[in-house]
Amino acid sequence: MAESDRSDRLAGKYFDAAIDLLRRVRDEEGDRITAAGTLIADTVAAGGRVFSFGAGHSSLPAQDTVYRAGGLAIMNLLSVPGVVGVDVRPATLGSALERVDGLAGAVLDTSPLEPGDVLVIISLSGRNALPVEMARHARALGIKVIGVTSMAYAEATTSRHASGDFLKDHCDLVLDSRIPVGDAELTLKGIDAPFAPASTVVTSAIMQAVVATAAGTLAERGIEPPLLRSGNVDGGHDWNAGVMSAYADRIFYRQ
């Protein structure tokens, strides 16, 4: 029973920690989240496209906005083979690729991104070569960059890019996830390592808040936001087919 009680307490502590982080982001990053949503709305209204990128577990919040019921149909994933997701074998290869100089430029130069588009780059630490170069190269191409990262890493760690820069240094707008260095919310006597990461929960919420703001901003301007409906409700597939047809030139994940 004691073990069960301890587990119950840990579950509650984790929820409390995640909720505290969500509240902090809501209160301290609200204006920047609004600015990010407005930038995406501006891009959609101007006929531009929107992409999101993350490596490893940072790819999960990026993927969460793509082809998502209740989300914007024009949210596209910028995929880098071996980096997006954790299905690569060995799993350590993805981490190694994040540190390869020049990879970001090759990806962007062969991607559909064009000047005036928006690229959301998600990197918890923001210290590896791939997100830093991705942001720097994208801006050089005339692409607006929104960075979602933890500023705590820039204060407590060193960059792994030759320039010494972090993702935050090459963005038009930075959203701070407020995740502490190490991304683990709990400790317990008898367990040597901290555990229970919250970055996916918080960063996914940030991304959905940005998308929601973009949809609302478009509606305020009299523009019907290109939202997808669940395919598991009656009429959902027909609705989505109409949206995808109307925005076919800005949707790349079905090609």
Side-chain angles (χ1 to χ4, degrees), residues 52-60 62 77-78 83-85 120-123:
S52 59
F53 167 78
H57 286 95
S58 288
S59 73
L60 299 178
L77 184 68
L78 180 62
V83 171
V84 177
V120 183
I121 301 176
I122 303 169
S123 175

Side-chain angles (χ1 to χ4, degrees), residues 28 48 69 72 101 110 116 136 148 160 169 195-196 207 223 232:
E28 299 178 13
L72 292 172
D101 293 336
T110 56
R136 186 170 65 179
V148 185
R160 289 181 174 140
D169 298 315
F195 55 101
M207 291 296 290
I223 301 171
N232 295 313

